[in-house]
């Protein structure tokens, strides 16, 4: 198992990271608006996948490690 990816406080306080977070916040808003449009089930599923990926990237701003729900240890 690999170590969780966690950004340090210094990394999260950098100008680049703050700029990226602003970009992701704006992108999430756009994706949610587009998701409300009338689309096929397949297009809606793709849009929701994009939203989840953006939310996953934004979660790097938290103190908690990112845990991929699709990856579970099974013994």
């Amino acid at each position: 198992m690999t170590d969780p990816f966690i950004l340090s406080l210094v990394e999260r306080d950098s100008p680049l990271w703050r700029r990226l977070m602003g970009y992701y916040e704006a992108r999430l808003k756009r994706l949610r608006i587009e998701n409300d449009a009338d689309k096929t089930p397949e297009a809606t599923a793709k849009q929701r996948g994009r939203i989840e990926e953006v939310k996953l990237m934004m979660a790097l701003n938290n103190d908690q490690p990112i845990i991929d729900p699709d990856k579970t240890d099974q013994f």
Side-chain angles (χ1 to χ4, degrees):
M1 184 157 96
T2 60
D3 292 333
F5 187 83
I6 301 173
L7 294 173
S8 70
L9 290 174
V10 172
E11 290 168 328
R12 285 183 286 158
D13 196 35
S14 73
L16 174 60
W17 184 251
R18 288 194 302 264
R19 186 172 172 204
L20 279 169
M21 288 304 295
Y23 168 79
Y24 281 124
E25 288 169 3
R27 179 155 169 74
L28 184 59
K29 285 180 186 176
R30 284 192 310 272
L31 289 170
R32 285 180 169 160
I33 289 169
E34 291 171 10
N35 191 51
D36 290 341
D38 189 23
K39 296 183 178 197
T40 65
E42 294 83 11
T44 299
K46 283 183 182 180
Q47 194 72 4
R48 288 181 180 165
R50 290 182 188 107
I51 289 170
E52 280 302 311
E53 190 65 26
V54 168
K55 290 168 67 177
L56 187 64
M57 292 299 295
M58 292 178 72
L60 292 172
N61 205 42
N62 300 332
D63 289 333
Q64 302 297 319
I66 302 302
I67 299 172
D68 189 348
D70 294 335
K71 309 260 187 214
T72 57
D73 292 335
Q74 297 178 359
F75 294 98

